[in-house]
Amino acid sequence: MAAQAKKDELTWMHVIVRVFLNSTTHPIEYAKVLIQLGHEPLEPYKSRTIFGREAFYYPSVFSYISYIKKRDGFTGCYRGLTPKLAANIVSGVAFQRVTESIKFKELDGDINVEELTVKERTQRFLQNTTRESAGRAAAILASQPFHVIAVRCMAEFVGEDGQYTSWLLQ
């Protein structure tokens, strides 16, 4: 029972770390999504290459972040964060539940991998790959609606049609 409590604690710590990292890097991800959507409000600037030739360069992602902050304020840099965090949490939980529910008789217990034959190692590899693939597929299927909402919230910056303006979607 103590092992299960320890495992649950580690799972929640993993979720908390993912939420923290996604929250801190969200403005960069937000600017990346806007660039991928083709929104380039900042003009390219002229500079010189290392060989001295003049060339045009696009602004960095940090220039886009400062543009977003100037236009929408600090909280504007976090538009779409709530559905993105929901997508990450749902994805993690779905992956964990699916991988825990798929059991293979041969994989249970502590087995020394060095003592297995090539055929048994191959079978073990295929079973682990099947389990991981099923978990990834379930995670993507479960979290995709939240990901779509997050991207639409971020795209709201371009269109300004006000469709995704709830405080939950900010």
Side-chain angles (χ1 to χ4, degrees):
M1 192 64 173
Q4 182 62 32
K6 179 84 169 163
K7 186 176 179 182
D8 289 343
E9 182 180 323
L10 287 174
T11 300
W12 282 110
M13 286 303 294
H14 181 72
V15 168
I16 290 169
V17 168
R18 283 181 70 180
V19 166
F20 174 75
L21 288 175
N22 280 309
S23 298
T24 55
T25 61
H26 183 72
I28 296 170
E29 188 76 19
Y30 181 25
K32 182 192 84 164
V33 168
L34 291 178
I35 291 168
Q36 287 175 333
L37 290 172
H39 182 64
E40 296 175 357
L42 304 175
E43 295 293 322
Y45 60 92
K46 200 181 268 191
S47 186
R48 295 201 176 272
T49 66
I50 58 172
F51 300 112
R53 196 185 71 174
E54 281 192 352
F56 282 102
Y57 292 95
Y58 284 107
S60 71
V61 71
F62 299 106
S63 300
Y64 283 106
I65 293 170
S66 72
Y67 174 77
I68 294 167
K69 184 178 176 187
K70 193 181 303 176
R71 191 177 126 190
D72 283 354
F74 180 76
T75 56
C77 291
Y78 290 91
R79 189 184 299 224
L81 177 63
T82 306
K84 181 181 169 191
L85 292 178
N88 283 325
I89 291 170
V90 167
S91 172
V93 170
F95 177 80
Q96 179 187 5
R97 295 291 186 248
V98 169
T99 54
E100 285 176 355
S101 68
I102 297 175
K103 304 249 186 262
F104 293 108
K105 181 176 64 170
E106 295 83 11
L107 292 178
D108 291 340
D110 293 330
I111 299 172
N112 187 1
V113 179
E114 302 298 325
E115 296 174 1
L116 297 176
T117 65
V118 173
K119 183 178 178 183
E120 290 171 332
R121 284 184 189 181
T122 305
Q123 181 180 8
R124 189 175 179 94
F125 170 77
L126 291 174
Q127 289 172 340
N128 277 328
T129 302
T130 301
R131 178 185 292 154
E132 293 284 320
S133 297
R136 295 275 176 234
I140 291 169
L141 285 171
S143 66
Q144 182 63 22
F146 295 105
H147 179 71
V148 169
I149 292 170
V151 171
R152 286 183 178 182
C153 288
M154 294 177 209
E156 180 81 19
F157 181 83
V158 178
E160 297 182 17
D161 56 354
Q163 198 166 2
Y164 294 93
T165 56
S166 168
W167 64 272
L168 285 173
L169 301 177
Q170 291 296 322

